[in-house]
Amino acid sequence: MKYITHKPKLNDVRIWMTLSVLIVLPILVGNYFEPESPVLAVTTLLIVGFFILNLVIRKFLYFRAYFTSNYNLLTSKVRTEKEFGISKELMFEKLIEVIDDSKFTLIKANKKSYEILAISKISWLSWGENLYISFEDRGDESIMQFCSATLFQIYSWGKNEKNHNDLMKAIDSSLTV
Amino acid sequence: MSIVVNLDVMLAKRKMKLKELSEIVGVSTVNLSILKQSKVKAIRFSTLDSICEALDCQPGDLLEHIGN
């Protein structure tokens, strides 16, 4: 199995820039403007609106690139690849069964592009993650590509890794018939 | 793997479709397809028993060990 992890590291300058903006900007705005100022209201509205927008678009496969992009610093993601030695058509059907029996919720399964979108439940640690699974043929092998991305948080508290491990365990145990 | 599942051979002998077997045995067609390709990790005795019952055969008819 090949792991490609894209989660923020503390030595990444982009993380500190994002954190600075997220922490310093509200403080500056709060100090500079009066509590009744429309600027504060607009800023709050923008942040809440952006969060709600993310909540809505998370259920569309179309926005996969947005959530899984390396340039999206507001989401933490973990990517893996695994070869199962089973045709992608069969593995696609199998994975739908596995997700239906697991704690994840199946949102969309596109049989044409062999893409699956599932989400995990909201917990104290996260707003729930998006799980994007796709399949591709590479030579004689079919590869399952997995990506777990947070909804609106730059640190996943290990939830992405847990999702990955839980799904792999579920697939493994489902291979006992 | 050196264990080969001859489910397709037995199905052909009994002139039965995978879907029919799936309905009789109560195992999904996806799982039976994976079993047919010998890609499963393990098979339960209960599943083996049901398949043998449905196909009127012995476990040895379904499973074969291929030496190195």
Side-chain angles (χ1 to χ4, degrees):
Chain A
M1 189 182 351
K2 189 177 166 191
Y3 277 87
I4 314 155
T5 306
H6 288 277
K7 65 178 180 182
K9 290 180 182 140
L10 290 178
N11 59 0
D12 191 341
V13 149
R14 294 178 308 170
I15 291 305
W16 290 107
M17 284 170 62
T18 314
L19 276 176
S20 308
V21 171
L22 288 174
I23 294 168
V24 175
L25 190 70
I27 294 170
L28 283 178
V29 169
N31 285 340
Y32 191 75
F33 296 100
E34 293 297 317
E36 299 84 21
S37 164
V39 176
L40 259 184
V42 169
T43 309
T44 312
L45 208 70
L46 278 176
I47 293 170
V48 173
F50 189 58
F51 175 72
I52 292 170
L53 180 76
N54 275 352
L55 263 180
V56 173
I57 64 173
R58 76 181 303 195
K59 296 197 173 181
F60 296 92
L61 259 174
Y62 185 77
F63 292 98
R64 174 190 179 146
Y66 164 72
F67 283 108
T68 58
S69 167
N70 290 341
Y71 296 103
N72 187 344
L73 296 175
L74 294 173
T75 63
S76 165
K77 43 245 163 210
V78 163
R79 289 194 179 93
T80 60
E81 287 186 350
K82 189 168 181 177
E83 191 262 315
F84 281 99
I86 299 170
S87 69
K88 71 175 182 182
E89 291 84 2
L90 207 52
M91 205 55 213
F92 178 79
E93 300 290 339
K94 179 77 188 162
L95 216 64
I96 291 171
E97 269 188 17
V98 169
I99 291 172
D100 279 339
D101 293 337
S102 71
K103 60 176 187 167
F104 304 113
T105 310
L106 181 70
I107 300 295
K108 182 94 181 159
N110 188 338
K111 205 171 180 180
K112 282 180 188 166
S113 57
Y114 295 102
E115 283 181 294
I116 294 171
L117 167 61
I119 57 171
S120 65
K121 285 183 182 140
I122 292 175
S123 70
W124 290 105
L125 293 177
S126 102
W127 292 104
E129 296 80 37
N130 290 5
L131 277 68
Y132 296 97
I133 301 147
S134 56
F135 300 90
E136 73 169 39
D137 288 322
R138 207 172 286 168
D140 295 335
E141 297 177 339
S142 66
I143 310 280
M144 184 186 96
Q145 294 168 326
F146 170 87
C147 180
S148 173
T150 54
L151 176 68
F152 194 66
Q153 62 187 73
I154 56 173
Y155 193 73
S156 73
W157 302 103
K159 287 279 289 175
N160 282 333
E161 290 81 356
K162 191 177 179 302
N163 288 338
H164 170 261
N165 293 338
D166 288 350
L167 189 71
M168 289 306 153
K169 271 185 204 161
I171 293 172
D172 256 15
S173 64
S174 77
L175 287 175
T176 297
V177 296
Chain B
M1 192 190 279
S2 52
I3 300 282
V4 174
V5 181
N6 291 320
L7 185 61
D8 48 351
V9 176
M10 286 312 296
L11 281 169
K13 278 183 183 170
R14 301 287 182 263
K15 290 178 181 152
M16 194 186 277
K17 295 262 172 66
L18 201 68
K19 200 178 171 189
E20 290 171 50
L21 182 66
S22 160
E23 282 162 9
I24 297 168
V25 174
V27 176
S28 69
T29 46
V30 175
N31 280 338
L32 286 178
S33 296
I34 295 172
L35 175 66
K36 203 172 75 174
Q37 292 178 16
S38 312
K39 299 287 184 185
V40 291
K41 282 185 74 179
I43 179 166
R44 291 187 190 92
F45 275 137
S46 56
T47 310
L48 194 57
D49 178 43
S50 308
I51 294 173
C52 287
E53 188 80 33
L55 294 173
D56 189 23
C57 65
Q58 293 298 313
D61 297 328
L62 291 168
L63 305 174
E64 185 185 352
H65 179 256
I66 306 286
N68 291 327

